Amino acid sequence: MITQKMKYALKALLVLADEAVKPAPEALTIEAIAKRSDSPKRFLEHILLELRNAQVVTSTRGRAGGYSLRMAPADISISEMLRLIDGPIAPLACLSRRAYQRCDDCTDEATCRIRKVFAEVFWSYLLIIDSLTLADMLRSGEVADQVIGKM
Amino acid sequence: MITQKMKYALKALLVLADEAVKPAPEALTIEAIAKRSDSPKRFLEHILLELRNAQVVTSTRGRAGGYSLRMAPADISISEMLRLIDGPIAPLACLSRRAYQRCDDCTDEATCRIRKVFAEVFWSYLLIIDSLTLADMLRSGEVADQVIGKM
DNA sequence: TAAATGTCTATAGTTTTTATCGTGTATAAA
DNA sequence: TTTATACACGATAAAAACTATAGACATTTA
């Protein structure tokens, strides 16, 4: 399950992306983003700060300040946002490349049957999620419609 | 990330499965399973109880009592175990069939862009994980080896 | 300089995770 | 029938993660 924080982050990014495609895009204040995304303002503040530190959005201070996208939606990877906000996406720490951690009790990683089976799953999962960007969320998503229909 | 509890559950199931294929399988006590799987005994107790209530394992009380697999490894689905121990595996509650919950702030599920993109990912993910069973973990896992090699 | 706005650190309530403990119940052997 | 062994089940609790909120400060522009 993705966290509420991640939902707020994605909603905020969608608000910023929607603004970015307008003829005369303006920087949006935290307050405005909070309102449009229906997120708690003071919480969103922290989220936007993280996105800013990750170079995903830019901010300008003072009067008429606010936030706007820094990267093109097609360059904002969903999996990167997940890693940034929710932490590692690997099912096991010992399968994460960036947040690798050996299991305390692990005697032999190479033969661990739990690791093996989840490596298999994770590999396929990464292939999919690593290919998704904010741009895919902006499109109306015909594929997703079909998927939901099947479920 | 799967929880520590789920790791213990899988380890315990592997211990029970390894016992089940022996020429003269015996019921294993919680203590024995805890030792072989390197899990905290009193915690494992609750996990085994859940597995028992889910008809995955059987238990016999009293002297010479203990636990053993009730289902064949090929019939023990990894994703079902995940659902049992860790809860819903859908990335969003509104995408879970068994633990469906509408988002508090959701105005229109059909057009929610977050839901759509994760539905797409989840659909593919389910396809993979739903096909895996404990039997796949028992096999040495040549496919997984290749996967890990690529990572 | 005043008003608007972002920055940053601290704090705190709630929930989830990860256990542990005590006691009760069932079984089989002595 | 007693006793040893083992599972059953509910209560409790420490630690971590999640979800915020608050206050003080810095920056910009009118």
Side-chain angles (χ1 to χ4, degrees), chain A residues 108-129:
Chain A
D108 183 13
E109 221 168 58
T111 61
C112 174
R113 292 181 287 187
I114 297 177
R115 188 173 195 267
K116 274 187 187 170
V117 76
F118 279 103
E120 208 168 331
V121 175
F122 183 42
W123 175 253
S124 314
Y125 177 65
L126 265 191
L127 227 56
I128 303 157
I129 197 149

Side-chain angles (χ1 to χ4, degrees), chain A residues 53-66:
Chain A
N53 291 335
Q55 320 280 323
V56 178
V57 301
T58 42
S59 63
T60 53
R61 285 179 156 190
R63 273 181 106 105

